[in-house]
Amino acid sequence: EAGVVQSPRYKIIEKKQPVAFWCNPISGHNTLYWYLQNLGQGPELLIRYENEEAVDDSQLPKDRFSAERLKGVDSTLKIQPAELGDSAVYLCASSSRIPPDTQYFGPGTRLTVL
Amino acid sequence: AQSVAQPEDQVNVAEGNPLTVKCTYSVSGNPYLFWYVQYPNRGLQFLLKYITGDNLVKGSYGFEAEFNKSQTSFHLKKPSALVSDSALYFCAVRDDYKLSFGAGTTVTVRA
């Protein structure tokens, strides 16, 4: 079974530029999560999707961050414009709705903003 | 809100010795607890979870964890550590539908 796929793995951009991250969850997983992981810290949830609906985006900085999950499968997380403090690893995870709904993570995208 | 704490930033052990990574939790209600491992430049890999049932949970790569309700702990253990176990370990608790993670413990196993 294929795991969660993310691309790109690494991204370096200048501040104020836009950037987008892509995630393909495990087949059949209805729930998709985006987490932010700063260096030396545990991941923190940005947004959770149930199918194509964003059911928890309370931690997403909506002034510059946006996300979508068209057709309830792949998802894209966007930052526009990027700031220096956005440098971090962006992790995507997915889970099924069937208990015990373990979250499985992708390899992440390491963003560096210069 | 649910939370976990990992009191040790680093754990160093010799190969072949037992490995313990500590985690304590604070929850209202029944806890759903998880352990993940992260290797350099990799995502988090699921090791094991406690939902209900036996207090000793067995997981991947020879790891196990002991749930202790009276001490509110969920320590990760491995009887005989390998050099390849060197990584960053995270304890997490399910808080509604999200996971709340500890700060992580860096494990170094020396040959």
Side-chain angles (χ1 to χ4, degrees):
Chain A
E1 178 181 88
V4 176
V5 179
Q6 290 187 248
S7 69
R9 292 293 313 278
Y10 304 92
K11 189 72 175 180
I12 301 174
I13 60 172
E14 300 281 335
K15 64 180 180 181
K16 301 185 180 179
Q17 293 299 308
V19 64
F21 315 125
W22 176 81
C23 174
N24 179 250
I26 292 173
S27 178
H29 281 189
N30 298 321
T31 308
L32 184 146
Y33 313 77
W34 282 102
Y35 285 86
L36 167 69
Q37 185 179 22
N38 287 307
L39 186 64
Q41 299 181 22
E44 298 177 351
L45 182 70
L46 288 172
I47 189 168
R48 175 172 66 94
Y49 280 93
E50 293 289 347
N51 298 308
E52 64 274 8
E53 182 182 0
V55 294
D56 182 0
D57 63 355
S58 58
Q59 301 303 310
L60 189 72
K62 299 181 183 63
D63 57 337
R64 297 184 300 108
F65 286 66
S66 64
E68 61 182 11
R69 192 184 183 197
L70 301 176
K71 302 181 181 179
V73 180
D74 296 358
S75 178
T76 302
L77 178 68
K78 299 178 181 178
I79 308 175
Q80 182 171 11
E83 298 179 351
L84 296 176
D86 296 331
S87 295
V89 176
Y90 293 82
L91 294 165
C92 179
S94 70
S95 68
S96 70
R97 288 299 306 275
I98 301 172
D101 65 347
T102 298
Q103 293 182 31
Y104 295 94
F105 286 79
T109 297
R110 180 176 297 276
L111 173 66
T112 301
V113 182
L114 302 177
Chain B
Q2 327 281 47
S3 66
V4 293
Q6 295 180 242
E8 299 166 317
D9 291 335
Q10 293 193 357
V11 170
N12 298 303
V13 298
E15 188 173 35
N17 282 0
L19 170 63
T20 298
V21 187
K22 297 180 180 178
C23 173
T24 59
Y25 65 87
S26 174
V27 303
S28 55
N30 295 322
Y32 292 167
L33 297 161
F34 300 79
W35 276 103
Y36 286 84
V37 60
Q38 188 174 34
Y39 297 97
N41 299 316
R42 302 279 294 277
L44 277 69
Q45 295 181 29
F46 168 71
L47 284 178
L48 51 79
K49 64 188 171 193
Y50 174 82
I51 303 296
T52 186
D54 290 342
N55 290 339
L56 186 62
V57 180
K58 294 190 180 296
S60 306
Y61 313 120
F63 284 94
E64 58 188 26
E66 185 173 8
F67 173 72
N68 188 315
K69 188 173 183 178
S70 63
Q71 297 185 5
T72 62
S73 66
F74 188 56
H75 300 333
L76 182 71
K77 300 180 180 182
K78 187 170 185 179
S80 179
L82 301 173
V83 172
S84 58
D85 293 327
S86 298
L88 181 58
Y89 290 79
F90 289 99
C91 181
V93 62
R94 199 178 82 176
D95 183 358
D96 192 9
Y97 283 96
K98 73 176 184 181
L99 289 176
S100 292
F101 288 85
T105 299
T106 299
V107 170
T108 302
V109 182
R110 59 185 184 276

PDB file of all heavy atoms in Angstrom, chain A residues 35-50:
ATOM      1  N   TYR A  35      -0.006  19.691   8.906  1.00  0.00           N
ATOM      2  CA  TYR A  35       0.667  20.093  10.130  1.00  0.00           C
ATOM      3  C   TYR A  35       1.880  20.946   9.778  1.00  0.00           C
ATOM      4  O   TYR A  35       2.519  20.780   8.739  1.00  0.00           O
ATOM      5  CB  TYR A  35       1.170  18.860  10.904  1.00  0.00           C
ATOM      6  CG  TYR A  35       0.122  18.069  11.641  1.00  0.00           C
ATOM      7  CD1 TYR A  35      -0.614  17.067  11.002  1.00  0.00           C
ATOM      8  CD2 TYR A  35      -0.114  18.286  12.993  1.00  0.00           C
ATOM      9  CE1 TYR A  35      -1.563  16.320  11.685  1.00  0.00           C
ATOM     10  CE2 TYR A  35      -1.052  17.531  13.690  1.00  0.00           C
ATOM     11  CZ  TYR A  35      -1.768  16.559  13.026  1.00  0.00           C
ATOM     12  OH  TYR A  35      -2.697  15.818  13.714  1.00  0.00           O
ATOM     13  N   LEU A  36       2.245  21.798  10.723  1.00  0.00           N
ATOM     14  CA  LEU A  36       3.458  22.606  10.641  1.00  0.00           C
ATOM     15  C   LEU A  36       4.417  22.121  11.710  1.00  0.00           C
ATOM     16  O   LEU A  36       4.023  21.966  12.879  1.00  0.00           O
ATOM     17  CB  LEU A  36       3.107  24.072  10.877  1.00  0.00           C
ATOM     18  CG  LEU A  36       4.254  25.051  11.142  1.00  0.00           C
ATOM     19  CD1 LEU A  36       5.075  25.222   9.880  1.00  0.00           C
ATOM     20  CD2 LEU A  36       3.711  26.391  11.628  1.00  0.00           C
ATOM     21  N   GLN A  37       5.660  21.858  11.318  1.00  0.00           N
ATOM     22  CA  GLN A  37       6.665  21.445  12.293  1.00  0.00           C
ATOM     23  C   GLN A  37       7.852  22.396  12.248  1.00  0.00           C
ATOM     24  O   GLN A  37       8.614  22.417  11.273  1.00  0.00           O
ATOM     25  CB  GLN A  37       7.135  20.014  12.052  1.00  0.00           C
ATOM     26  CG  GLN A  37       8.094  19.519  13.123  1.00  0.00           C
ATOM     27  CD  GLN A  37       8.549  18.086  12.922  1.00  0.00           C
ATOM     28  OE1 GLN A  37       8.502  17.561  11.821  1.00  0.00           O
ATOM     29  NE2 GLN A  37       8.996  17.449  13.997  1.00  0.00           N
ATOM     30  N   ASN A  38       8.003  23.171  13.316  1.00  0.00           N
ATOM     31  CA  ASN A  38       9.184  24.017  13.453  1.00  0.00           C
ATOM     32  C   ASN A  38      10.342  23.190  13.994  1.00  0.00           C
ATOM     33  O   ASN A  38      10.154  22.171  14.658  1.00  0.00           O
ATOM     34  CB  ASN A  38       8.890  25.189  14.383  1.00  0.00           C
ATOM     35  CG  ASN A  38       7.998  26.226  13.726  1.00  0.00           C
ATOM     36  OD1 ASN A  38       8.293  26.712  12.638  1.00  0.00           O
ATOM     37  ND2 ASN A  38       6.894  26.575  14.379  1.00  0.00           N
ATOM     38  N   LEU A  39      11.540  23.660  13.739  1.00  0.00           N
ATOM     39  CA  LEU A  39      12.743  22.931  14.119  1.00  0.00           C
ATOM     40  C   LEU A  39      12.760  22.646  15.616  1.00  0.00           C
ATOM     41  O   LEU A  39      12.557  23.552  16.428  1.00  0.00           O
ATOM     42  CB  LEU A  39      13.980  23.737  13.728  1.00  0.00           C
ATOM     43  CG  LEU A  39      15.325  23.047  13.923  1.00  0.00           C
ATOM     44  CD1 LEU A  39      15.431  21.819  13.020  1.00  0.00           C
ATOM     45  CD2 LEU A  39      16.475  24.012  13.675  1.00  0.00           C
ATOM     46  N   GLY A  40      12.955  21.388  15.972  1.00  0.00           N
ATOM     47  CA  GLY A  40      13.060  21.008  17.370  1.00  0.00           C
ATOM     48  C   GLY A  40      11.746  20.931  18.115  1.00  0.00           C
ATOM     49  O   GLY A  40      11.734  20.825  19.341  1.00  0.00           O
ATOM     50  N   GLN A  41      10.650  20.978  17.384  1.00  0.00           N
ATOM     51  CA  GLN A  41       9.331  20.939  18.022  1.00  0.00           C
ATOM     52  C   GLN A  41       8.459  19.853  17.400  1.00  0.00           C
ATOM     53  O   GLN A  41       8.749  19.341  16.321  1.00  0.00           O
ATOM     54  CB  GLN A  41       8.641  22.294  17.877  1.00  0.00           C
ATOM     55  CG  GLN A  41       9.379  23.448  18.534  1.00  0.00           C
ATOM     56  CD  GLN A  41       8.625  24.756  18.378  1.00  0.00           C
ATOM     57  OE1 GLN A  41       7.417  24.781  18.153  1.00  0.00           O
ATOM     58  NE2 GLN A  41       9.345  25.849  18.501  1.00  0.00           N
ATOM     59  N   GLY A  42       7.392  19.536  18.110  1.00  0.00           N
ATOM     60  CA  GLY A  42       6.423  18.601  17.567  1.00  0.00           C
ATOM     61  C   GLY A  42       5.513  19.295  16.559  1.00  0.00           C
ATOM     62  O   GLY A  42       5.364  20.517  16.577  1.00  0.00           O
ATOM     63  N   PRO A  43       4.902  18.525  15.671  1.00  0.00           N
ATOM     64  CA  PRO A  43       3.992  19.109  14.677  1.00  0.00           C
ATOM     65  C   PRO A  43       2.772  19.751  15.328  1.00  0.00           C
ATOM     66  O   PRO A  43       2.306  19.312  16.374  1.00  0.00           O
ATOM     67  CB  PRO A  43       3.581  17.905  13.827  1.00  0.00           C
ATOM     68  CG  PRO A  43       4.633  16.874  14.065  1.00  0.00           C
ATOM     69  CD  PRO A  43       5.079  17.083  15.480  1.00  0.00           C
ATOM     70  N   GLU A  44       2.244  20.773  14.662  1.00  0.00           N
ATOM     71  CA  GLU A  44       1.024  21.448  15.112  1.00  0.00           C
ATOM     72  C   GLU A  44       0.041  21.501  13.949  1.00  0.00           C
ATOM     73  O   GLU A  44       0.418  21.839  12.828  1.00  0.00           O
ATOM     74  CB  GLU A  44       1.335  22.860  15.605  1.00  0.00           C
ATOM     75  CG  GLU A  44       2.272  22.902  16.794  1.00  0.00           C
ATOM     76  CD  GLU A  44       2.618  24.313  17.232  1.00  0.00           C
ATOM     77  OE1 GLU A  44       2.260  25.256  16.507  1.00  0.00           O
ATOM     78  OE2 GLU A  44       3.240  24.469  18.288  1.00  0.00           O
ATOM     79  N   LEU A  45      -1.206  21.197  14.248  1.00  0.00           N
ATOM     80  CA  LEU A  45      -2.220  21.122  13.200  1.00  0.00           C
ATOM     81  C   LEU A  45      -2.531  22.499  12.620  1.00  0.00           C
ATOM     82  O   LEU A  45      -2.722  23.468  13.352  1.00  0.00           O
ATOM     83  CB  LEU A  45      -3.509  20.513  13.762  1.00  0.00           C
ATOM     84  CG  LEU A  45      -4.645  20.344  12.750  1.00  0.00           C
ATOM     85  CD1 LEU A  45      -4.293  19.235  11.760  1.00  0.00           C
ATOM     86  CD2 LEU A  45      -5.958  20.029  13.466  1.00  0.00           C
ATOM     87  N   LEU A  46      -2.580  22.549  11.286  1.00  0.00           N
ATOM     88  CA  LEU A  46      -3.009  23.756  10.591  1.00  0.00           C
ATOM     89  C   LEU A  46      -4.468  23.640  10.153  1.00  0.00           C
ATOM     90  O   LEU A  46      -5.263  24.556  10.343  1.00  0.00           O
ATOM     91  CB  LEU A  46      -2.140  24.003   9.359  1.00  0.00           C
ATOM     92  CG  LEU A  46      -0.705  24.469   9.605  1.00  0.00           C
ATOM     93  CD1 LEU A  46       0.075  24.470   8.294  1.00  0.00           C
ATOM     94  CD2 LEU A  46      -0.691  25.837  10.261  1.00  0.00           C
ATOM     95  N   ILE A  47      -4.798  22.498   9.533  1.00  0.00           N
ATOM     96  CA  ILE A  47      -6.132  22.333   8.980  1.00  0.00           C
ATOM     97  C   ILE A  47      -6.447  20.859   8.846  1.00  0.00           C
ATOM     98  O   ILE A  47      -5.554  20.047   8.631  1.00  0.00           O
ATOM     99  CB  ILE A  47      -6.257  23.056   7.610  1.00  0.00           C
ATOM    100  CG1 ILE A  47      -7.709  23.082   7.115  1.00  0.00           C
ATOM    101  CG2 ILE A  47      -5.332  22.438   6.584  1.00  0.00           C
ATOM    102  CD1 ILE A  47      -7.918  24.025   5.918  1.00  0.00           C
ATOM    103  N   ARG A  48      -7.722  20.534   9.008  1.00  0.00           N
ATOM    104  CA  ARG A  48      -8.194  19.155   8.832  1.00  0.00           C
ATOM    105  C   ARG A  48      -9.365  19.141   7.859  1.00  0.00           C
ATOM    106  O   ARG A  48     -10.283  19.960   7.973  1.00  0.00           O
ATOM    107  CB  ARG A  48      -8.636  18.565  10.173  1.00  0.00           C
ATOM    108  CG  ARG A  48      -9.261  17.179  10.054  1.00  0.00           C
ATOM    109  CD  ARG A  48      -9.490  16.572  11.446  1.00  0.00           C
ATOM    110  NE  ARG A  48     -10.488  17.292  12.222  1.00  0.00           N
ATOM    111  CZ  ARG A  48     -11.782  16.968  12.281  1.00  0.00           C
ATOM    112  NH1 ARG A  48     -12.232  15.951  11.564  1.00  0.00           N
ATOM    113  NH2 ARG A  48     -12.609  17.644  13.048  1.00  0.00           N
ATOM    114  N   TYR A  49      -9.315  18.179   6.939  1.00  0.00           N
ATOM    115  CA  TYR A  49     -10.382  17.986   5.960  1.00  0.00           C
ATOM    116  C   TYR A  49     -11.087  16.657   6.199  1.00  0.00           C
ATOM    117  O   TYR A  49     -10.449  15.643   6.471  1.00  0.00           O
ATOM    118  CB  TYR A  49      -9.816  17.944   4.540  1.00  0.00           C
ATOM    119  CG  TYR A  49      -9.508  19.287   3.937  1.00  0.00           C
ATOM    120  CD1 TYR A  49      -8.240  19.835   4.045  1.00  0.00           C
ATOM    121  CD2 TYR A  49     -10.484  19.997   3.244  1.00  0.00           C
ATOM    122  CE1 TYR A  49      -7.963  21.068   3.485  1.00  0.00           C
ATOM    123  CE2 TYR A  49     -10.213  21.223   2.679  1.00  0.00           C
ATOM    124  CZ  TYR A  49      -8.941  21.756   2.808  1.00  0.00           C
ATOM    125  OH  TYR A  49      -8.671  22.980   2.234  1.00  0.00           O
ATOM    126  N   GLU A  50     -12.392  16.690   6.081  1.00  0.00           N
ATOM    127  CA  GLU A  50     -13.188  15.471   5.959  1.00  0.00           C
ATOM    128  C   GLU A  50     -13.735  15.488   4.538  1.00  0.00           C
ATOM    129  O   GLU A  50     -14.563  16.331   4.195  1.00  0.00           O
ATOM    130  CB  GLU A  50     -14.332  15.441   6.973  1.00  0.00           C
ATOM    131  CG  GLU A  50     -13.884  15.324   8.408  1.00  0.00           C
ATOM    132  CD  GLU A  50     -13.319  13.968   8.761  1.00  0.00           C
ATOM    133  OE1 GLU A  50     -13.478  13.017   7.967  1.00  0.00           O
ATOM    134  OE2 GLU A  50     -12.691  13.856   9.827  1.00  0.00           O
TER     135      GLU A  50
END
